[in-house]
Amino acid sequence: MIPRTLHLALALLLALPFAACTDAATPPLVKISTINADTPEPTRFVVRGRTLVDLQQPEKPLFFRGMGYSPFLPGETPMYGVPPANDNRYAGHLKLMQDLGATYIHVFPRLLPANFFAALDKTDLVYGQDTFVWPYEPDFLDPAYQERTLKDIREIIDHTYKVGRPDRLVLFSIGDELQAANIASTNARHPGRHDFTGKHLRLTNRTAAEVAMAQLVDGAMDYELRTYGRRHLYCHTSWTHVGPVADRPDLEVSADNVFLPDMGDLVCLNIYTYANGVRTSPPGSTTGTTYQGYLEQLAAEMTQPILVTQVGLSTSPIAPKPHVPGFGGHKVADVPKTFESVWRDIRTAKGKEHFAGLVFFELQDEWWKSGEDPDDTTRHEPEDPEEWFGIYEVDAQHRLTPKGEIPATVRRLFAEP
């Protein structure tokens, strides 16, 4: 068993300037991430080897049946800093998730209101807190950016303890889907930054962008421990376009910019069936799909538990980007087949025991994306796939109604072992 403090990505090799990569006798550098041995474990959800367990039932590794959740309804948006309304919608939304058989909610708003947590108290659901960081920053290591982002993170942690339910919280995810160009620009600005030693995390043979995210995770972990005397699981959520599986021809980063999101306790990754890195994967060992092929290589290369934090399909009437096949334009009737396929892929994959769950993105359509103008929240735009990932649609009266057989399919899959 690999100790929880040592996470080696054995298959991900660096081609950094100080490596004599042209010398066949020189061993390749290995990316290393460790958590200090004296850093306290979380009090409920913990890592054991390459699995997650709930200390209330430690005999059985966890596999979360997850649902992504952002409660904003037509006419509402988080884009101007306004939190979700503290009204009665949450009891109904959480009941839908319970009826689907979900066990885990991956929440995206920074500061969910008291009524959400009151509704959560009436269920057996647990949740993970996504923590947005600006992914388009030209330099993720810029001190002003780091301090500004840590201030936001500290506010979210404070909110968890003052309004939220820390005993029901599984993890904090620090950052989500950094952009490839900004990863590359950060690394170009700091060509000598390969290592990081924080109060709780240590990284070796890394890129500057990886160091930047490690600094944020380390700062968040340290703030929680100093302020509240305990901590939760931590991760950074990434996507397949920038790694960590590196031997794909369609990655959006060069080999020396591949991003490994292991700065924390587990690997959190958004894995879409049509995404770069996935569609060019070899066939899986059981189902023969490229999705399973990606999962199997991921499981073989990572030495931490893996949580698939997003998978889904947009049912936008228009697919606006011919160069991104699969991003939008899916018929509602065709979605269940894909959901069934990805469930079979992950549940039968070689290395399946290292996956801690799968989260369908998401409960309901989001009219507020992509925020082109102040009135965007009032229009369900047919050419914006970001607005159509829900398994429920939302009408102008804010009612959530099933998209065909998609919810019934999720319910059936979540009921399986």
Side-chain angles (χ1 to χ4, degrees):
M1 179 180 293
I2 299 172
R4 75 176 180 90
T5 56
L6 184 59
H7 305 136
L8 301 179
L10 296 175
L12 264 174
L13 308 179
L14 283 173
L16 293 173
F18 58 88
C21 297
T22 58
D23 183 355
T26 301
L29 298 172
V30 178
K31 293 189 174 188
I32 299 174
S33 173
T34 65
I35 300 177
N36 293 343
D38 57 354
T39 294
E41 278 194 331
T43 55
R44 180 175 175 186
F45 299 100
V46 299
V47 171
R48 291 291 180 263
R50 294 176 63 191
T51 63
L52 292 187
V53 300
D54 181 350
L55 291 177
Q56 294 183 0
Q57 298 176 309
E59 69 283 352
K60 185 177 181 182
L62 291 165
F63 186 87
F64 289 121
R65 286 131 170 90
M67 187 61 56
Y69 183 53
S70 182
F72 294 98
L73 296 170
E76 302 172 347
T77 178
M79 299 194 79
Y80 305 108
V82 178
N86 191 32
D87 58 18
N88 297 323
R89 73 188 69 182
Y90 304 102
H93 292 182
L94 268 62
K95 184 177 187 306
L96 286 177
M97 287 186 258
Q98 275 194 299
D99 290 346
L100 291 171
T103 59
Y104 169 86
I105 313 173
H106 200 76
V107 301
F108 296 100
R110 296 174 65 252
L111 308 175
L112 279 163
N115 279 5
F116 168 81
F117 295 106
L120 187 71
D121 288 340
K122 299 177 181 178
T123 75
D124 57 0
L125 293 160
V126 297
Y127 72 107
Q129 177 66 60
D130 187 83
T131 304
F132 178 79
V133 307
W134 183 244
Y136 300 96
E137 190 72 19
D139 182 1
F140 295 125
L141 274 173
D142 178 75
Y145 173 82
Q146 285 274 319
E147 180 52 38
R148 183 171 67 248
T149 305
L150 279 170
K151 180 180 177 182
D152 291 341
I153 292 169
R154 290 191 289 264
E155 182 183 16
I156 292 168
I157 293 172
D158 290 340
H159 186 79
T160 298
Y161 283 89
K162 294 174 182 177
V163 180
R165 298 294 185 271
D167 291 339
R168 308 283 287 279
L169 179 69
V170 179
L171 61 86
F172 288 109
S173 170
I174 307 300
D176 194 328
E177 295 190 354
L178 300 182
Q179 297 299 299
N182 303 91
I183 291 172
S185 66
T186 297
N187 295 342
R189 289 170 187 238
H190 304 276
R193 290 297 298 272
H194 306 301
D195 304 314
F196 169 71
T197 300
K199 293 185 178 180
H200 305 285
L201 298 183
R202 182 177 181 181
L203 269 64
T204 306
N205 298 336
R206 309 308 293 254
T207 66
E210 292 167 341
V211 168
M213 289 304 109
Q215 287 186 177
L216 293 176
V217 172
D218 188 79
M221 192 182 296
D222 188 60
Y223 178 76
E224 186 184 10
L225 283 165
R226 286 188 295 105
T227 308
Y228 300 103
R230 61 183 287 196
R231 77 171 183 93
H232 291 79
L233 296 172
Y234 279 85
C235 67
H236 164 80
T237 299
S238 193
W239 55 337
T240 63
H241 295 240
V242 298
V245 175
D247 59 343
R248 296 291 186 270
D250 55 343
L251 291 190
E252 295 180 7
V253 292
S254 59
D256 54 344
N257 288 316
V258 167
F259 189 93
L260 172 57
D262 64 343
M263 52 287 299
D265 298 279
L266 68 158
V267 169
C268 293
L269 197 64
N270 301 335
I271 310 177
Y272 286 85
T273 53
Y274 53 84
N276 289 12
V278 176
R279 61 187 178 188
T280 55
S281 291
S285 63
T286 302
T287 64
T289 68
T290 59
Y291 196 84
Q292 186 174 74
Y294 189 92
L295 294 176
E296 291 183 336
Q297 187 167 340
L298 185 69
E301 294 182 359
M302 300 300 100
T303 58
Q304 295 169 296
I306 304 162
L307 177 62
V308 178
T309 36
Q310 290 182 29
V311 63
L313 290 176
S314 172
T315 59
S316 63
I318 298 171
K321 297 181 179 180
H323 62 288
V324 188
F327 184 51
H330 297 278
K331 295 180 180 178
V332 168
D334 294 337
V335 174
K337 181 179 179 181
T338 297
F339 279 22
E340 290 169 353
S341 177
V342 299
W343 185 262
R344 299 281 176 264
D345 288 338
I346 196 167
R347 299 306 277 163
T348 64
K350 189 182 300 182
K352 63 184 179 182
E353 63 275 13
H354 304 309
F355 289 94
L358 179 144
V359 180
F360 283 114
F361 184 80
E362 60 189 331
L363 185 69
Q364 75 233 36
D365 287 342
E366 295 182 299
W367 286 31
W368 59 272
K369 291 184 172 180
S370 293
E372 297 88 353
D373 58 65
D375 295 325
D376 188 48
T377 63
T378 65
R379 303 188 308 272
H380 204 193
E381 296 166 290
E383 72 282 2
D384 186 351
E386 291 286 354
E387 295 191 4
W388 299 79
F389 274 95
I391 66 172
Y392 288 90
E393 58 187 351
V394 189
D395 64 21
Q397 287 72 45
H398 296 178
R399 294 171 297 198
L400 274 60
T401 56
K403 284 187 183 178
E405 293 300 309
I406 302 175
T409 301
V410 172
R411 185 178 301 112
R412 185 173 66 255
L413 296 175
F414 279 176
E416 293 184 4

